[in-house]
Amino acid sequence: MGFFENNRLVELITDYLKTQFELIKLDIQEKLEEILVRIFKLIFVAAGFTITLFFLLLGGSEWINQVLESRFIGYFIMAGIMGLASLFLFLSLKPSENESE
């Protein structure tokens, strides 16, 4: 009788481990789904912000063109402002020499 009881015990432990493994898999899938939802929301928000910024820049360029009575200077001014902003952002992302030591 002891042999059959051991087989049952091994079977119960095996089933328990399989169940725990499945629970862990489901937890991982749930976390991945949450991360993907956040990423897609971030992409949509970033796209909306980009479109809004684009039209604001176009409007500002047109306003500058009207004020300066020009057809193109406003676009150059806005491009320069965005270029400087991008340059400062890029330089702030580069690690400084002191941090690497």
Side-chain angles (χ1 to χ4, degrees):
M1 285 288 183
F3 178 72
F4 294 113
E5 290 174 8
N6 285 341
N7 282 342
R8 179 71 181 141
L9 181 61
V10 169
E11 183 181 320
L12 286 173
I13 291 174
T14 304
D15 289 343
Y16 174 77
L17 291 175
K18 285 180 184 178
T19 304
Q20 290 300 317
F21 182 70
E22 290 297 321
L23 286 172
I24 291 171
K25 277 178 31 179
L26 289 174
D27 285 342
I28 291 172
Q29 285 177 344
E30 183 179 317
K31 300 251 187 230
L32 284 174
E33 287 175 6
E34 289 176 12
I35 290 171
L36 287 175
V37 166
R38 284 185 179 180
I39 288 172
F40 282 121
K41 284 181 181 179
L42 180 64
I43 288 171
F44 285 131
V45 168
F49 179 73
T50 302
I51 291 169
T52 302
L53 181 64
F54 177 74
F55 282 111
L56 285 173
L57 289 173
L58 278 177
S61 298
E62 286 294 327
W63 179 76
I64 291 171
N65 283 338
Q66 271 188 340
V67 169
L68 297 178
E69 297 176 357
S70 173
R71 293 180 63 192
F72 58 88
I73 293 177
Y75 297 111
F76 288 140
I77 291 172
M78 285 303 220
I81 291 170
M82 290 306 296
L84 285 174
S86 298
L87 180 67
F88 286 131
L89 180 63
F90 176 73
L91 292 176
S92 71
L93 294 177
K94 290 179 67 174
S96 66
E97 294 175 11
N98 295 335
E99 291 178 8
S100 62
E101 294 178 5

